Amino acid sequence: VLEGDASRLTEIPFSPAGDVDFYRLEGTAGQEWHAILYQLDDAPLPDRAWLAADGTLLANDPTFILPANGVYYVRVRSATHPTGAGPYRVDIFPESAEEARRVDEIEPNDTPAQGQMVAIGQVIQGVANSGDVDHFRFNGQAGDTLALTDPYDDFQNRVEGLQLFGPAMQPIALNGWPN
């Protein structure tokens, strides 16, 4: 159950094939919520639906504004339902939580030495002009899993030239992302 300013990032498989997952949230009229999906293998992006408490389909968009106070559900199922299986990740959060996660890009950050320190889970807001190269740094541990995404386009708009480097500036391959 998600309420108020709660946020949930869940990684789970569709298992068995044909599985459908529901996430319950409570909110107030006019509150804007996001349900961002990430594909974790080569399967198509899962389907998302916003449902009223009685199961009525309200929307399929990544962002939804609650029409009234009450209980709502986010339904997630394989794009090939009822046969699909495999892992996915969903991040469900209200706009107020999104605002708290936003950080503005700070220039200059054109070299690794100038890389702006950010935290895992933050959403970086900035502008990349033609020829602009931006560097960001974060603390991570071996084995950490990262999802790099445009939170408003469900992982479909990819940043050109995105690269990840280790502490000694060694390139790290990104699964599912052209390097």
Side-chain angles (χ1 to χ4, degrees), residues 57-143:
L57 176 66
L58 300 173
N60 293 306
D61 300 320
T63 301
F64 181 68
I65 298 175
L66 304 183
N69 295 350
V71 173
Y72 296 86
Y73 293 90
V74 176
R75 180 189 69 206
V76 181
R77 65 183 182 190
S78 168
T80 58
H81 181 78
T83 61
Y88 73 92
R89 179 174 288 161
V90 61
D91 191 3
I92 302 171
F93 54 91
E95 181 62 23
S96 54
E98 171 71 1
E99 290 171 5
R101 296 183 340 176
R102 274 191 206 128
V103 60
D104 287 329
E105 173 194 10
I106 299 173
E107 294 282 359
N109 62 345
D110 302 324
T111 67
Q114 296 171 322
Q116 178 179 344
M117 184 58 108
V118 296
I120 293 175
Q122 286 185 313
V123 176
I124 302 164
Q125 188 170 275
V127 176
N129 297 315
S130 178
D132 185 23
V133 176
D134 295 322
H135 294 264
F136 301 91
R137 298 179 295 135
F138 62 90
N139 291 318
Q141 302 296 318

Side-chain angles (χ1 to χ4, degrees), residues 13-29:
F14 291 113
S15 180
D19 183 29
V20 178
D21 295 323
F22 292 89
Y23 300 90
R24 181 180 186 271
L25 62 97
E26 289 187 42
T28 57

Side-chain angles (χ1 to χ4, degrees), residues 35-50:
I36 309 303
L37 296 170
Y38 308 89
Q39 59 195 48
L40 298 180
D41 59 14
D42 292 332
L45 195 63
D47 289 332
R48 160 197 38 292
W50 296 91

Side-chain angles (χ1 to χ4, degrees), residues 112-113 137-138 140 164-172:
R137 298 179 295 135
F138 62 90
L164 183 63
F165 295 92
M169 292 305 297
Q170 74 277 17
I172 297 174

